[in-house]
Each structure stands twice: as C-alpha cells, then as structure tokens.
C-alpha cells in the first residue's frame, strides 16, 4: 500500500503482483524489439517496444522509463515471454578482459 491509504501501489498493479523476473537479466544485457505490435500492452511495455528499435541495455531502459531496475526487469520478462523483444547477453570476454579494464581505468584517471 502507498502512503497508508487503501490504494494499491502503482508498480504492484502494473506488474500484476509479480516481484521478480523469470529471466536472468544483467543490467548490461542488450534488449532489441522483435515485433512492433503493441496491442494489449501497458504504457511502459509499449514504450519499451518503441525504445528498443535499436539495442538498449536493461539499465538504459530503466533510466528512460524512470523506473527502478527491478521493475524494468519484470516488465521485460513479460515481453521476452511473448517474443516481443530479444535479449542479447553481454559478451563474456568483454567483462573479463583485464587489459581492457586497466586501459579504461587509466583513461578515467587521466580525465
């Protein structure tokens, strides 16, 4: 409940009571639209379809929608289940390449 009133929380209603994603979505997982059809979708889900005509990370989607990361993951879970979007997991080599990470750190220090 929000603010002590007998009004359900907005996200509880929007997410149909779901509190977690059925998919393992990393914040840097890229999402891209598979089908432009938005019939039967909630406003936030339709916005995801429009936003992801080019690949966006889960974190970027949450930012554009102004929602917590967990909410974005639950919204994306339904769209993934229905085949409306496709998830591209982050490349394993990019996250474990210590040389690249050291170069990025060095570049940040030089700023």
């Amino acid at each position: 409940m929000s603010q002590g009133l007998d009004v359900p929380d907005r996200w509880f209603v929007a997410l149909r009571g779901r509190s977690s994603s059925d998919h393992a979505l990393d914040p840097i997982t890229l999402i891209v639209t598979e089908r432009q059809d938005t019939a039967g979708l909630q406003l936030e889900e339709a916005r995801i379809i429009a936003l992801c005509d080019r690949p966006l990370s889960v974190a970027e989607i949450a930012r554009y929608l102004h929602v917590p990361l967990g909410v974005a993951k639950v919204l994306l879970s339904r769209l993934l289940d229905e085949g409306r979007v496709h998830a591209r997991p982050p490349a394993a080599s990019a996250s474990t390449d210590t040389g690249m990470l050291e170069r990025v750190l060095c570049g940040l220090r030089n700023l």
Side-chain angles (χ1 to χ4, degrees), residues 51-103:
L51 285 169
C52 293
D53 59 342
R54 60 183 173 82
L56 286 178
S57 72
V58 174
E60 289 173 303
I61 293 166
R63 182 190 168 277
Y64 285 126
L65 295 178
H66 304 286
V67 300
L69 189 59
V71 169
K73 288 180 179 184
V74 174
L75 291 167
L76 286 165
S77 182
R78 176 176 175 216
L79 296 174
L80 285 163
D81 289 343
E82 294 180 359
R84 294 177 190 253
V85 296
H86 176 74
R88 296 180 188 167
S93 62
S95 63
T96 58
D97 181 0
T98 56
M100 190 247 336
L101 293 175
E102 287 175 7
R103 290 189 301 277

Side-chain angles (χ1 to χ4, degrees), residues 7-77:
V7 178
D9 181 67
R10 176 177 187 263
W11 293 118
F12 180 81
V13 173
L15 301 176
R16 297 177 185 97
R18 293 172 60 190
S19 61
S20 64
S21 171
D22 297 334
H23 301 270
L25 295 171
D26 191 278
I28 60 172
T29 297
L30 294 178
I31 305 294
V32 65
T33 298
E34 290 288 323
R35 295 182 7 219
Q36 293 292 331
D37 173 32
T38 58
L41 296 181
Q42 298 174 36
L43 176 64
E44 291 84 3
E45 293 168 330
R47 287 193 60 210
I48 291 170
I49 297 295
L51 285 169
C52 293
D53 59 342
R54 60 183 173 82
L56 286 178
S57 72
V58 174
E60 289 173 303
I61 293 166
R63 182 190 168 277
Y64 285 126
L65 295 178
H66 304 286
V67 300
L69 189 59
V71 169
K73 288 180 179 184
V74 174
L75 291 167
L76 286 165
S77 182

